[in-house]
């Protein structure tokens, strides 16, 4: 899967990855497990919690983050949410938004949410992973690594540049609804 390179020396992807969900199974058990894991991650922290939802509303595949951010705000999650359809956080403004977050919040806990590309069999999967991630890496963008934990949804398979624009809106909407349900259950 692309991109998960935020490993610390000696860690493997399996060690960092807590759990995943896939649209094909439609299992409430997986949703409950992921919600439980997110609650277990968020509850003990005394830091300000920020959901940083990365993506652009100008690309179907990349709209996952802003859709989740919008849905989190609509569900009135009790945390700060950056990145919505009205105010997306994307490659062009990520650095300035991240700078603003650092200015507003002293050492916040950042929970990243972003779309990603993977193998064909991974489309529809949501992965909860510990550590930072590099937004835009699959598209060869040089953006800062960020986040303490992150959720990545595989919206399409990896074919440079065309795969985000050729992503089915139905897949992205379903993944955004499930991700929002997971987070709302966690809080």
């Amino acid at each position: 899967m692309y991109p998960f390179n935020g490993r610390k020396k000696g860690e493997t992807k399996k060690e960092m990855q807590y759990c995943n969900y896939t649209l094909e199974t439609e299992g409430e058990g997986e949703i409950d497990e992921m919600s439980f894991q997110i609650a277990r991650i968020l509850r003990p922290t005394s830091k300000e919690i920020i959901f940083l939802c990365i993506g652009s509303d100008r690309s179907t595949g990349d709209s996952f983050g802003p859709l989740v951010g919008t849905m989190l705000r609509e569900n009135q999650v009790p945390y700060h949410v950056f990145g919505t359809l009205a105010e997306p956080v994307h490659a062009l403004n990520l650095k300035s938004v991240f700078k603003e977050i650092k200015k507003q919040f002293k050492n916040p806990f950042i929970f990243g949410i972003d779309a990603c590309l993977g193998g064909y069999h991974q489309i529809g999967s949501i992965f909860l992973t510990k550590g930072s991630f590099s937004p835009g890496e699959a598209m060869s963008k040089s953006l800062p690594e960020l986040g303490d934990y992150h959720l990545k949804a595989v919206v399409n398979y990896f074919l440079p540049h065309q795969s985000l624009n050729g992503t089915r809106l139905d897949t992205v909407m379903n993944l955004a609804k499930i991700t929002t349900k997971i987070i709302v259950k966690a809080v």
Side-chain angles (χ1 to χ4, degrees), residues 2-72:
Y2 309 93
F4 283 122
N5 70 348
R7 286 190 293 265
K8 294 185 173 107
K9 193 171 184 168
E11 282 185 314
T12 65
K13 287 181 185 178
K14 188 173 178 83
E15 291 169 328
M16 290 180 56
Q17 193 169 300
Y18 279 84
C19 53
N20 69 329
Y21 170 86
T22 181
L23 288 175
E24 290 180 7
T25 60
E26 297 182 12
E28 283 294 318
E30 287 177 322
I31 290 172
D32 291 342
E33 174 61 23
M34 195 173 278
S35 293
F36 172 77
Q37 292 298 334
I38 291 172
R40 190 180 63 77
I41 292 163
L42 297 178
R43 285 197 181 119
T45 187
S46 58
K47 297 178 179 183
E48 290 277 352
I49 296 170
I50 294 171
F51 282 95
L52 184 56
C53 305
I54 311 281
S56 171
D57 61 335
R58 295 177 183 247
S59 166
T60 305
D62 205 27
S63 64
F64 170 74
L67 282 167
V68 173
T70 298
M71 291 177 192
L72 289 176

Side-chain angles (χ1 to χ4, degrees), residues 40-107:
R40 190 180 63 77
I41 292 163
L42 297 178
R43 285 197 181 119
T45 187
S46 58
K47 297 178 179 183
E48 290 277 352
I49 296 170
I50 294 171
F51 282 95
L52 184 56
C53 305
I54 311 281
S56 171
D57 61 335
R58 295 177 183 247
S59 166
T60 305
D62 205 27
S63 64
F64 170 74
L67 282 167
V68 173
T70 298
M71 291 177 192
L72 289 176
R73 285 216 179 138
E74 289 172 353
N75 281 277
Q76 300 177 345
V77 295
Y79 303 116
H80 305 281
V81 177
F82 287 82
T84 62
L85 289 172
E87 297 177 44
V89 176
H90 46 70
L92 300 177
N93 68 359
L94 176 63
K95 289 178 183 176
S96 63
V97 170
F98 194 51
K99 190 176 181 179
E100 186 60 35
I101 289 171
K102 286 178 158 179
K103 196 164 113 178
Q104 277 185 19
F105 306 97
K106 186 168 178 79
N107 195 24

Side-chain angles (χ1 to χ4, degrees), residues 41 69 118 136 162 170:
I41 292 163
Q162 303 325 48
D170 183 63

Side-chain angles (χ1 to χ4, degrees), residues 113-134:
I113 296 174
D114 198 9
C116 72
L117 304 173
Y120 184 77
H121 66 284
Q122 293 174 312
I123 296 171
S125 296
I126 302 168
F127 295 92
L128 170 62
T129 308
K130 179 180 181 180
S132 62
F133 70 103
S134 299

